[in-house]
Amino acid sequence: MVSSVLGVVFIVSGLLEIVIPLILGLYLTRRLGTSWKTWLVGAIMLIVSLVRLPLNLFLSQLVLNVSVGSLSYILMILIPSLTAGIFEESVRYVGFKYIIKDNTYENGLTYGAGHGGIESILLVGLNVLSVGFFILTNPNILSPFLIDALLVTPEYLPLIGVYERIMAMIAQIGFSVIVMEAIRKDDVRYFVAAIGLHAFFDYLAVALVNYSILASEILVTGFALGLGYWTYKRVRAEGVLG
């Protein structure tokens, strides 16, 4: 029997993963004088980037069908990490250059909040909320595999997911500012850097989970705060968030 306490924690975590991005969007649009349209463009472009998912499935299946030995494990993590970097940073570039067009740091921050925010809401928050709801109301609807996993899930673990989403949003805002720099400075190196950093971030975060959740969270925190600090210094130099 799955703990009802765990169900409540799932629901609270899911709600936080939905509400926090919206509060951040509200704060930035009011503080920076930007539009919710910019936030929504970031959100929509993240959804557009999910066209990579069938490609991930195809390439992963190809790896499983071809004997590559110990490389299989690396490739199964590297493929989705690399496609995330390529597709998400590409749609970010398109969003800034051809939809938003007004490449101010204010728009970069707001776009990034939308990009990372909808990721938290759509890909994590709603799923976590649903699991919590089913645990409390109709656990029999859950798959036996999921129930087995929930039986050994610590009751605090969903809250770590909330923390991870906050760090991920900070990183997504940072990636957005890097890509915007590629347009502002007409320098493709920023765009390439955004792809590489994104892929590196995703790969290490997933790879380390298999060894230690704590190690993965330390990496995620260090990377996000480092990128956040770079972003803050960059936009602060332009008088934004001063």
Side-chain angles (χ1 to χ4, degrees):
M1 182 70 177
V2 180
S3 167
S4 59
V5 173
L6 183 62
V8 172
V9 176
F10 262 91
I11 288 178
V12 171
S13 299
L15 288 174
L16 289 173
E17 287 159 349
I18 293 169
V19 171
I20 290 175
L22 297 176
I23 292 175
L24 178 61
L26 180 62
Y27 170 78
L28 289 177
T29 52
R30 289 190 173 184
R31 173 74 186 275
L32 303 176
T34 50
S35 169
W36 274 101
K37 175 186 174 182
T38 302
W39 192 96
L40 288 172
V41 169
I44 291 170
M45 297 309 281
L46 180 279
I47 295 172
V48 170
S49 76
L50 297 180
V51 297
R52 71 184 185 272
L53 296 182
L55 176 62
N56 289 347
L57 183 60
F58 170 76
L59 293 176
S60 296
Q61 192 61 49
L62 190 63
V63 169
L64 293 175
N65 291 337
V66 177
S67 179
V68 289
S70 59
L71 282 178
S72 295
Y73 172 75
I74 296 174
L75 290 173
M76 291 296 287
I77 302 175
L78 180 61
I79 287 170
S81 300
L82 188 57
T83 60
I86 293 171
F87 279 79
E88 288 191 43
E89 303 316 316
S90 294
V91 299
R92 219 185 296 262
Y93 185 92
V94 170
F96 284 138
K97 191 171 182 66
Y98 299 106
I99 301 177
I100 295 176
K101 298 180 182 178
D102 181 13
N103 295 311
T104 63
Y105 284 129
E106 288 88 345
N107 280 330
L109 295 171
T110 305
Y111 177 102
H115 191 109
I118 201 65
E119 182 179 49
S120 178
I121 294 169
L122 193 62
L123 302 185
V124 183
L126 290 176
N127 289 324
V128 171
L129 186 63
S130 297
V131 170
F133 176 77
F134 288 129
I135 289 174
L136 294 179
T137 60
N138 188 13
N140 293 328
I141 202 172
L142 300 173
S143 69
F145 175 79
L146 180 55
I147 291 177
D148 288 342
L150 291 172
L151 288 172
V152 296
T153 298
E155 292 174 345
Y156 62 83
L157 193 61
L159 293 173
I160 293 179
V162 177
Y163 172 79
E164 186 178 77
R165 281 301 95 203
I166 293 172
M167 293 298 108
M169 283 190 286
I170 293 173
Q172 291 285 19
I173 291 172
F175 293 141
S176 296
V177 172
I178 294 175
V179 172
M180 179 167 280
E181 287 288 70
I183 299 172
R184 288 168 61 97
K185 298 182 182 300
D186 193 24
D187 189 342
V188 71
R189 290 177 298 179
Y190 283 97
F191 177 63
V192 174
I195 292 175
L197 287 170
H198 194 145
F200 178 75
F201 175 65
D202 283 10
Y203 178 84
L204 286 184
V206 175
L208 285 178
V209 165
N210 293 316
Y211 296 98
S212 166
I213 292 178
L214 178 60
S216 178
E217 294 305 323
I218 289 174
L219 168 76
V220 167
T221 300
F223 186 97
L225 294 182
L227 184 54
Y229 179 73
W230 177 88
T231 303
Y232 177 75
K233 295 289 286 186
R234 183 57 58 100
V235 302
R236 182 73 181 273
E238 294 288 326
V240 181
L241 296 177

